[in-house]
Amino acid sequence: MKLATLPNDTADGALVVVSRDLSRAVTANTISHSLRAAIDDWASVSGSLQALSDDLNAGRSKGDFAFAPKMARAPLPRAWQWLDGSVFETHLDLATRAYGLPNPSYEHPLMYQGMSHRFLSGLDDVPFPKEEDGIDFEGEFGIITDFVPSGTTAAEARSHIILLTQLNDWSLRVPGRDEMTRGYGWIWAKPACSMAPVVTTPDELGEAWSNARIHLDLAIHLNGMQFGRANGREMRFGFDELVAHAAYSRELCAGTIIGSGTVANADYKIVGSSCIAERRGIEILEHAASQTPFLRYGDRVQMAARDKNGEAPFGAMDQRVVPMRAPEKAV
Amino acid sequence: MKLATLPNDTADGALVVVSRDLSRAVTANTISHSLRAAIDDWASVSGSLQALSDDLNAGRSKGDFAFAPKMARAPLPRAWQWLDGSVFETHLDLATRAYGLPNPSYEHPLMYQGMSHRFLSGLDDVPFPKEEDGIDFEGEFGIITDFVPSGTTAAEARSHIILLTQLNDWSLRVPGRDEMTRGYGWIWAKPACSMAPVVTTPDELGEAWSNARIHLDLAIHLNGMQFGRANGREMRFGFDELVAHAAYSRELCAGTIIGSGTVANADYKIVGSSCIAERRGIEILEHAASQTPFLRYGDRVQMAARDKNGEAPFGAMDQRVVPMRAPEKAV
């Protein structure tokens, strides 16, 4: 099934079930008042949500209204935990060689804890304080868990992956370099991420959910020009292994979101990149200097995973980079 | 005023107002159902909570029941955001010299984003997966904010600091070293922190809240022996500057907790340390080898900030290190 969140007067928004083709939706507020609440109680409510979805997709129900991604907030407008991996070997190899970053040992996946109290929708403008900070996108896949006990193994982790998502992990590369050098991860460099309009259960992807990886091309366009279309299949660690890694010394609360890091493929010369920093790294390796600029205010970034029929199972993201407004002064 | 959280059937617990001497408490559920909810609505509810506190402290009310720290959960059993600084120059200088860590430039404070979906109470047992991971405590002070717009300055930040707290940022030093080298911050090394039983408004500390720093000794005992009593005043950056730093490219949601990092003083030879790693670093510098072991299961760690009368404004923490239980297998 596919789920989305519409705005209402609450911080978490209202849960709706969306048809497979994203054209129709049915309100689910009699089952759960928000997606966040539904995930907290997944074993009890997912069956009822699935029944709504089945009726909608079989034509037994017309749903309550026509759905459009622009109506939606992020499926989880806030979450208690966002842990972002970086496990595409091609991306890490290029970054290591181009920027002299430490070579990952691959004994464990790379992972950082990011800001989770706000996720932007896939169609929101994205505010940044300064163009000079090296504004960049990162096209990623992600998963959402139910409650995961600490010490959970990768094999056990698979059943804890209840929903799949697509994300843009917006990044500021200039402060990011400094922050990474200090070893503490990122505060300035990682403001709120954006989340595609619709989350899906793993079964919804059919064979494209395999080996705990999302085998879909992630089509990225910058100002209308294709930038990349790398496939999610080449993760060095699967999402099951990322869940197990995250749960070594902590429980994962229900609604934990875990990301793949920037999607990248070995044939990057054909499929392109999922962030500007990687393309600039390739330019450094090939031409000794980067050419592609980071983003400027007004730039437009579109992202949509595509299945073999060209459909976008998570809906399409389409966002503009804008200046951050000065805070309103206290009166 | 002083506030605490008692267990009930909710994830956030029940808000109570506690008397200055921590002996009595009054339920505040007619004002706000939890501390987290009260912080979301601070401008509206803090006056009513203050009135309860004033009546309790003036003897006009006897309160509803006798309070004991062991009754309490963490004041915020979960929070949307936990950002931990590390801004005690003595601590950083010792770590730099003893362990060859990168020398902080002090252009900006060091800060990482930590796990915030669970805070243990100051009297909970603390579970860890392996003794060999180098289990350590970190005695810290912290603040809690209301909503902070991005771009807020340090001067503006002071009015956003609504509550003060005392924390133990439990750490695993062996995986922590590896994680820091990778630049992504900490996942394995930073499981749930513990929070002292009571949070206070800044005015409650009198002159001990000055220059956006907590001028109190943090008394730490390990298995009954004094380990340290460093004072919170020697922060290189005040909490106002930490708030402004955190809010550069993001809004801070109400209920954001920001930590000071391990409390340390220039006269560390007299006052001791607030974590084992620092003491081991001093031993390396003085004797070329560390002697103090990290924690073992059964070890007891007590922490209490003390004012000049010897009172503990946040209540006393008293915890034991225990083995993590294996997860229950799915049936």
Side-chain angles (χ1 to χ4, degrees):
Chain A
M1 67 181 143
K2 300 190 172 192
L3 303 170
T5 293
L6 298 192
N8 60 7
D9 60 354
T10 72
D12 296 307
L15 176 62
V16 297
V17 177
V18 182
S19 65
R20 186 159 293 136
D21 67 359
L22 309 190
S23 71
R24 304 287 302 168
V26 53
T27 59
N29 57 7
T30 58
I31 298 169
S32 210
H33 57 77
S34 69
L35 177 58
R36 191 167 71 77
I39 290 169
D40 279 345
D41 206 18
W42 193 247
S44 305
V45 305
S46 58
S48 307
L49 295 172
Q50 185 67 53
L52 284 184
S53 170
D54 291 345
D55 286 350
L56 198 57
N57 287 325
R60 290 189 295 273
S61 146
K62 288 186 178 171
D64 295 323
F65 55 91
F67 179 81
K70 70 172 187 291
M71 304 161 61
R73 301 183 66 187
L76 289 174
R78 57 182 183 174
W80 293 109
Q81 185 166 241
W82 155 236
L83 301 173
D84 196 11
S86 184
V87 298
F88 283 91
E89 219 168 326
T90 297
H91 176 73
L92 292 169
D93 178 58
L94 289 167
T96 302
R97 291 195 287 128
Y99 300 115
L101 296 184
N103 208 328
S105 68
Y106 295 118
E107 189 188 346
H108 302 296
L110 293 168
M111 183 177 283
Y112 75 92
Q113 178 137 17
M115 169 182 158
S116 64
H117 69 266
R118 186 158 181 216
F119 286 86
L120 301 173
S121 91
L123 293 145
D124 281 338
D125 287 345
V126 191
F128 295 100
K130 276 211 310 260
E131 286 181 317
E132 295 73 19
D133 281 338
I135 303 167
D136 200 358
F137 51 84
E138 286 188 359
E140 306 200 2
F141 291 111
I143 60 93
I144 302 172
T145 71
D146 62 4
F147 174 81
V148 180
S150 52
T152 292
T153 65
E156 293 164 342
R158 292 203 180 192
S159 67
H160 292 291
I161 297 172
I162 58 173
L163 292 166
L164 311 182
T165 181
Q166 172 198 310
L167 300 136
N168 185 343
D169 178 33
W170 296 98
S171 297
L172 299 176
R173 300 301 183 185
V174 175
R177 278 194 291 270
D178 290 342
E179 290 186 318
M180 193 175 181
T181 306
R182 291 178 219 135
Y184 281 53
W186 298 277
I187 305 294
W188 284 27
K190 297 287 188 182
C193 299
S194 301
M195 200 181 289
V198 166
V199 292
T200 80
T201 47
D203 63 289
E204 199 69 40
L205 293 196
E207 292 179 357
W209 173 248
S210 174
N211 198 24
R213 289 156 174 87
I214 295 175
H215 296 236
L216 293 176
D217 289 344
L218 182 56
I220 301 177
H221 289 77
L222 172 56
N223 295 326
M225 303 279 287
Q226 183 165 290
F227 194 92
R229 53 180 175 86
N231 191 287
R233 75 170 82 86
E234 292 180 22
M235 289 166 74
R236 168 85 181 220
F237 298 91
F239 282 111
D240 50 353
E241 293 168 289
L242 293 179
V243 171
H245 178 78
Y248 172 70
S249 59
R250 63 177 69 183
E251 302 168 340
L252 308 186
C253 56
T256 291
I257 310 171
I258 296 185
S260 65
T262 307
V263 177
N265 292 163
D267 62 348
Y268 61 87
K269 292 187 183 183
I270 297 165
V271 303
S273 296
S274 301
C275 71
I276 295 175
E278 182 183 297
R279 183 191 270 190
R280 287 168 60 92
I282 295 167
E283 291 165 350
I284 288 169
L285 293 172
E286 293 184 352
H287 312 293
S290 55
Q291 295 152 0
T292 305
F294 288 115
L295 300 176
R296 295 279 163 180
Y297 295 143
D299 281 345
R300 180 181 182 190
V301 180
Q302 294 164 286
M303 289 189 183
R306 296 283 173 187
D307 64 20
K308 55 191 171 190
N309 302 319
E311 302 294 327
F314 305 108
M317 304 171 82
D318 187 348
Q319 299 182 275
R320 277 187 197 279
V321 170
V322 298
M324 195 167 262
R325 287 175 307 167
E328 290 173 27
K329 300 297 176 188
V331 181
Chain B
M1 65 181 145
K2 300 190 171 190
L3 303 170
T5 294
L6 297 193
N8 61 7
D9 59 355
T10 72
D12 296 306
L15 176 62
V16 298
V17 177
V18 181
S19 64
R20 185 158 294 137
D21 67 358
L22 307 190
S23 71
R24 304 285 303 167
V26 53
T27 59
N29 58 8
T30 57
I31 299 169
S32 210
H33 57 77
S34 70
L35 177 58
R36 191 166 71 77
I39 291 170
D40 279 344
D41 205 19
W42 193 246
S44 304
V45 306
S46 57
S48 307
L49 295 171
Q50 185 68 52
L52 284 184
S53 170
D54 291 345
D55 286 350
L56 198 57
N57 287 325
R60 290 188 295 272
S61 148
K62 287 186 179 172
D64 295 324
F65 55 92
F67 179 80
K70 71 172 188 290
M71 303 161 64
R73 301 184 64 188
L76 288 174
R78 58 182 182 172
W80 293 109
Q81 185 166 243
W82 155 238
L83 301 172
D84 195 11
S86 184
V87 298
F88 284 90
E89 220 168 326
T90 297
H91 177 72
L92 292 169
D93 177 59
L94 289 167
T96 302
R97 291 194 288 128
Y99 299 115
L101 296 184
N103 208 327
S105 67
Y106 294 119
E107 189 188 348
H108 302 295
L110 293 168
M111 183 178 283
Y112 75 91
Q113 177 137 17
M115 171 183 157
S116 64
H117 69 265
R118 185 159 182 214
F119 286 86
L120 301 173
S121 91
L123 293 146
D124 281 339
D125 287 346
V126 190
F128 296 100
K130 277 211 308 259
E131 287 181 316
E132 294 73 18
D133 282 337
I135 303 166
D136 199 358
F137 51 84
E138 287 187 0
E140 305 199 3
F141 292 111
I143 60 94
I144 301 172
T145 71
D146 63 4
F147 174 82
V148 180
S150 52
T152 292
T153 65
E156 293 164 343
R158 291 202 181 191
S159 66
H160 292 292
I161 297 171
I162 58 173
L163 292 166
L164 310 181
T165 180
Q166 172 198 310
L167 299 136
N168 185 343
D169 178 33
W170 296 97
S171 299
L172 299 177
R173 301 301 183 186
V174 174
R177 277 195 291 270
D178 290 342
E179 290 186 318
M180 193 175 181
T181 306
R182 291 178 217 135
Y184 281 53
W186 298 278
I187 305 292
W188 284 27
K190 297 286 188 181
C193 299
S194 301
M195 199 180 293
V198 167
V199 292
T200 81
T201 46
D203 62 289
E204 199 68 41
L205 293 196
E207 293 179 355
W209 172 248
S210 174
N211 198 23
R213 289 157 174 86
I214 296 175
H215 297 236
L216 293 177
D217 290 345
L218 182 55
I220 301 177
H221 289 77
L222 171 57
N223 296 325
M225 301 280 286
Q226 184 166 289
F227 195 90
R229 53 179 176 88
N231 190 288
R233 75 170 82 86
E234 291 180 23
M235 289 166 75
R236 167 85 181 220
F237 298 91
F239 282 112
D240 50 353
E241 294 168 289
L242 293 179
V243 171
H245 178 79
Y248 171 71
S249 59
R250 64 177 69 183
E251 301 167 342
L252 308 186
C253 55
T256 292
I257 309 170
I258 296 184
S260 66
T262 308
V263 176
N265 292 161
D267 61 348
Y268 62 86
K269 292 188 183 182
I270 298 165
V271 301
S273 298
S274 302
C275 71
I276 295 174
E278 181 182 300
R279 183 190 272 190
R280 288 168 59 93
I282 295 166
E283 290 165 351
I284 288 170
L285 293 172
E286 294 184 352
H287 311 293
S290 54
Q291 296 153 0
T292 306
F294 288 115
L295 300 175
R296 294 279 164 181
Y297 294 142
D299 281 345
R300 180 182 183 189
V301 180
Q302 293 164 287
M303 290 189 183
R306 296 284 173 188
D307 63 20
K308 54 192 171 191
N309 302 319
E311 302 295 327
F314 306 107
M317 305 171 81
D318 187 349
Q319 299 181 274
R320 277 186 198 279
V321 170
V322 298
M324 195 167 263
R325 287 174 307 168
E328 289 174 29
K329 301 297 175 189
V331 182

